[in-house]
Amino acid sequence: DAKTTQPPSMDCAEGRAANLPCNHSTISGNEYVYWYRQIHSQGPQYIIHGLKNNETNEMASLIITEDRKSSTLILPHATLRDTAVYYCIVRASYTGNQFYFGTGTSLTVIP
Amino acid sequence: ETGVTQTPRHLVMGMTNKKSLKCEQHLGHNAMYWYKQSAKKPLELMFVYSLEERVENNSVPSRFSPECPNSSHLFLHLHTLQPEDSALYLCASSQRRTGGHEQYFGPGTRLTVT
């Protein structure tokens, strides 16, 4: 599975959009981009995933560049409850069932 | 509430004890997982049960023994643990299918080995 690079930490003002970047320059054509988040001492929570088209659900939007080498998770109106570590994971659908979680981005939403 | 429950939520055990962690998923999924998360470290995959077949991470010590009696239940049996085994143990489930399969995690069991 392709390696991902994320900034270790970010701040965002409450009510503003939080844009979390992820680089995955070695991604291959059959690999999906997944985003999870983990609030302190809880289990990770699935947010969204995509292959090459932009995706949106009730939690967030996922923007994938045309060359698929990077993506951005957008939380449109950040709240204090969005403070968490956000993980970007790239994996192929056929490779077993493993997700490799890195160190992620620690997002702090500031009142 | 993700549809994945874990018990107990907290466990303190001595190095000579034997205990078991339980996970149950109510999502109709066909794959279940155990992860370990030590302080300030990334999640580490320990075991995968997919379609009732076990896939192991070869670095997991034998003092951890998984059991998957059916597609909804997963256990992690613990014996003669070490203090460095203290961690958050997370269970997850997913539905293997074409086109990606997101995993849903339980709340975890916080284990302390004394």
Side-chain angles (χ1 to χ4, degrees), chain A residues 1 44 91 95-102, chain B residues 31-38 41-50 54-61 64 66 74 76 88-94 101 103 105:
Chain A
D1 292 325
R91 67 176 299 280
T95 52
N97 287 283
Q98 291 92 327
F99 280 85
Y100 295 100
F101 289 78
Chain B
M32 297 186 76
Y33 316 78
W34 280 117
Y35 286 85
K36 174 185 178 182
Q37 188 173 32
S38 302
K41 286 187 175 181
L43 275 76
E44 303 170 55
L45 180 67
M46 300 177 73
F47 300 101
V48 179
Y49 274 88
S50 178
R54 186 170 96 186
V55 176
E56 293 186 42
N57 179 339
N58 291 330
S59 66
V60 178
F64 295 92
L74 184 65
L76 186 63
L88 181 67
Y89 288 84
L90 292 156
C91 173
S93 71
S94 72
H101 40 270
Q103 294 184 1
F105 285 79

Side-chain angles (χ1 to χ4, degrees), chain B residues 3 7 13 17 19 27 46-47 49 63 71 79 89 100 114:
Chain B
T7 54
M13 59 186 289
N17 292 158
K19 297 286 185 184
L27 302 168
M46 300 177 73
F47 300 101
Y49 274 88
R63 56 186 182 269
S71 60
H79 64 97
Y89 288 84
T114 60

Side-chain angles (χ1 to χ4, degrees), chain A residues 1-4 22-36 46 48-53 55 62-64 68-71 87-96 98-100, chain B residues 97-102:
Chain A
D1 292 325
K3 182 179 177 180
T4 62
C22 180
N23 286 323
H24 30 80
S25 58
T26 59
I27 192 170
S28 59
N30 62 355
E31 290 181 314
Y32 289 76
V33 180
Y34 288 80
W35 283 86
Y36 283 76
Y46 165 78
I48 199 167
H49 77 281
L51 184 61
K52 53 184 177 181
N53 297 322
E55 302 287 344
L62 173 61
I63 307 299
I64 302 174
R68 301 186 70 239
K69 294 182 184 299
S70 66
S71 61
Y87 298 97
C88 169
I89 302 163
V90 174
R91 67 176 299 280
S93 62
Y94 61 81
T95 52
Q98 291 92 327
F99 280 85
Y100 295 100
Chain B
R97 55 178 170 83
T98 303
H101 40 270
E102 58 273 22

